[in-house]
Amino acid sequence: MPDTPAMHFRRERVRIETQRHEMEGTLQLPNEGYRSRTTDFLNAHEREFLALTDVDVRWLDSAHEPEHHEYLAVAVPHIVMVIELEDLGTIEDSGPPPFVASAPPPIS
């Protein structure tokens, strides 16, 4: 099996708001090129969900206690606002590309 070159990804701490939630988590983006900017990444048509890691979730109506999740997939059409908080630097990954969730198959 041939070695694949390591890919570099940029990690960005972001705050995402939907109509019901505010989430602060880490978004993994390509380090350079097309879709390396947060806005380009969000506008990619094949992405129905945005994968976040190390996520704190708060309900805007305070109906539930805040939660922390290691992984969370946010439906892109529900995103109202994204704020870039902090650049966490670049990481090298020689494994498969990062998981990007899509719509689940229908239940039979």
Side-chain angles (χ1 to χ4, degrees), residues 12-31:
E12 185 80 32
R13 195 75 181 160
V14 296
R15 181 176 302 130
I16 295 177
E17 193 171 301
T18 66
Q19 288 188 356
R20 297 181 64 194
H21 304 93
E22 180 181 81
M23 295 156 268
E24 190 172 310
T26 302
L27 176 64
Q28 185 167 295
L29 302 160
N31 186 44

Side-chain angles (χ1 to χ4, degrees), residues 13-82:
R13 195 75 181 160
V14 296
R15 181 176 302 130
I16 295 177
E17 193 171 301
T18 66
Q19 288 188 356
R20 297 181 64 194
H21 304 93
E22 180 181 81
M23 295 156 268
E24 190 172 310
T26 302
L27 176 64
Q28 185 167 295
L29 302 160
N31 186 44
E32 55 188 35
Y34 183 59
R35 297 188 187 140
S36 61
R37 296 184 308 182
T38 304
T39 53
D40 294 339
F41 193 77
L42 286 170
N43 288 326
H45 296 292
E46 69 272 5
R47 287 182 172 78
E48 294 184 35
F49 289 85
L50 188 64
L52 298 173
T53 57
D54 188 26
V55 187
D56 293 313
V57 179
R58 185 176 68 84
W59 276 256
L60 295 177
D61 65 2
S62 301
H64 302 281
E65 291 294 316
E67 298 178 359
H68 179 83
H69 299 280
E70 290 302 313
Y71 171 83
L72 184 80
V74 182
V76 172
H78 293 280
I79 295 174
V80 175
M81 179 176 66
V82 177

Side-chain angles (χ1 to χ4, degrees), residues 5 13 15 60 66 83 86-87 94:
R13 195 75 181 160
R15 181 176 302 130
L60 295 177
I83 300 171
E86 179 182 6
D87 185 347
S94 57

